[in-house]
Amino acid sequence: MARRRKGLPVHGWFIFDKPQGMTSTQAVARVKRLYEAAKAGHAGTLDPLATGVLPIALGEATKTVPFVVEGSKEYRFTVRFGVETDTDDAEGKMVASSDLRPTRAEIEAKLPDFIGEIDQVPPRFSALKVDGARAYDLARDDEDFELASRRVSIARLDLVAHPDRDHCVLEARCGKGTYVRALARDLGRALGSFGHVEALRRTRVGGFGEERAIPLAALEALAESGGHQALETALEPVETALRDIPAIALSGSDADRLRRGQPVLLRGRDAPIVEGTVYATTRGKLVALGEVSKGELKPRRIFNLPR
């Protein structure tokens, strides 16, 4: 006999404004506990040092996490020049230093070298695996290891402030797998002055921006004042994560076929002309993710949402 999952059937996206000092795992646990949700996960880890947008999926929204993770991300971060650390951020130990400080003009002249498809060596203190072990565990134990460079994409990198000779503030839009800490490290090296991330805030993940992010204190106040009904108002619909793929509206009978795992033929004069990944709805309710090929829709993930 299958065990019943503990928790409530809560479904949707909560856009968390993560505070500094909290891990992404701790953030998910806190939000999951407040919602008393049966299932939760997040789309894109944020370091404890970082603040900002951490999309948290509850219930059936966890099935759409890959679509958010694959989206672009935007950051605003402060680089401290003159010191490189072993973690590439302010929490690490100094491993190199320089008395040189770049001018605003020198920083702006170097930024184009980091835009586009570039090779980047991830920080030694990262969650990447090396022979089955996490890199940060090996780094903490002073193990000797190397991380291979990876191809990453940076669409935008702008200097937005140069408050003093030791610091600059940058904004970046980048693709999956890009490490802002490594970007700060490599920029410092390229300018001959070394550098690390002193402050980091993620301002956007895919379609989720900081203008919709809710801090922990506000969420706790909602829970205290209005309970679950109030908490529900803070959730984005499950399909919000799917805004970049086509939607297909189905009849009730075709939707039932998909729910049973059966393919559906897209026929008739008004049948959509589409190929590839789509999501299907009926009467405005999300039914399934699927693939369309030669007019046939095959379900890949079924959503068990209230009808």
Side-chain angles (χ1 to χ4, degrees), residues 6 14 64 82 104-105 107 118 121 125 133 143 150 166 183 188 203-204 229 237 254 258 272 276:
K6 294 181 179 179
F14 177 72
T64 66
R104 184 184 185 101
I107 296 169
I118 66 169
V121 177
F125 281 81
E143 295 280 348
R150 310 194 305 177
D166 289 329
L183 184 57
T203 57
R204 180 166 295 275
Q229 188 172 359
D254 280 345
L258 283 188

Side-chain angles (χ1 to χ4, degrees), residues 35 39 45 78 96 99 107 109 194 215 230 281 288 305:
Y35 276 93
K39 191 176 183 181
T45 301
T78 300
D99 292 329
I107 296 169
F194 298 112
T281 66
L305 295 169

Side-chain angles (χ1 to χ4, degrees), residues 59-96:
E60 293 294 278
T62 56
K63 296 175 180 178
T64 66
V65 164
F67 292 90
V68 180
V69 171
E70 292 293 331
S72 64
K73 300 174 180 64
E74 296 182 11
Y75 298 89
R76 183 168 57 250
F77 60 104
T78 300
V79 179
R80 165 71 188 273
F81 292 112
V83 175
E84 184 174 311
T85 70
D86 58 353
T87 60
D88 299 319
D89 63 24
E91 297 183 332
K93 297 181 295 184
M94 185 178 70
V95 294

Side-chain angles (χ1 to χ4, degrees), residues 10-18 22-33 35 37 39-44 52-59 61-62 64-65 68 202 205 208 214 216 219 234-238:
V10 181
H11 309 292
W13 282 95
F14 177 72
I15 314 307
F16 189 39
D17 193 336
K18 189 189 83 66
M22 178 182 286
T23 68
S24 296
T25 300
Q26 289 169 338
V28 171
R30 186 74 65 88
V31 171
K32 182 182 179 183
R33 185 162 57 249
Y35 276 93
K39 191 176 183 181
H42 67 76
V53 177
L54 180 68
I56 296 178
L58 300 173
T62 56
T64 66
V65 164
V68 180
R202 188 159 66 190
V205 179
F208 300 127
I214 299 174
L216 179 61
L219 184 66
L235 291 180
E236 304 278 352
V238 173

Side-chain angles (χ1 to χ4, degrees), residues 62-174:
T62 56
K63 296 175 180 178
T64 66
V65 164
F67 292 90
V68 180
V69 171
E70 292 293 331
S72 64
K73 300 174 180 64
E74 296 182 11
Y75 298 89
R76 183 168 57 250
F77 60 104
T78 300
V79 179
R80 165 71 188 273
F81 292 112
V83 175
E84 184 174 311
T85 70
D86 58 353
T87 60
D88 299 319
D89 63 24
E91 297 183 332
K93 297 181 295 184
M94 185 178 70
V95 294
S97 64
S98 171
D99 292 329
L100 293 176
R101 297 293 185 273
T103 65
R104 184 184 185 101
E106 288 171 333
I107 296 169
E108 289 179 326
K110 191 60 65 175
L111 294 183
D113 294 347
F114 295 90
I115 297 174
E117 299 285 327
I118 66 169
D119 291 318
Q120 184 184 78
V121 177
R124 289 173 62 80
F125 281 81
S126 65
L128 297 176
K129 286 193 174 182
V130 180
D131 296 330
R134 297 290 183 186
Y136 53 66
D137 288 329
L138 297 175
R140 289 193 189 103
D141 293 338
D142 292 323
E143 295 280 348
D144 185 23
F145 68 97
E146 295 292 332
L147 289 172
S149 66
R150 310 194 305 177
R151 201 74 173 163
V152 299
S153 177
I154 300 175
R156 180 171 65 84
L157 182 61
D158 299 320
L159 176 65
V160 296
H162 188 222
D164 55 58
R165 64 190 300 268
D166 289 329
H167 300 88
C168 77
V169 181
L170 302 171
E171 290 184 350
R173 183 192 305 129
C174 47

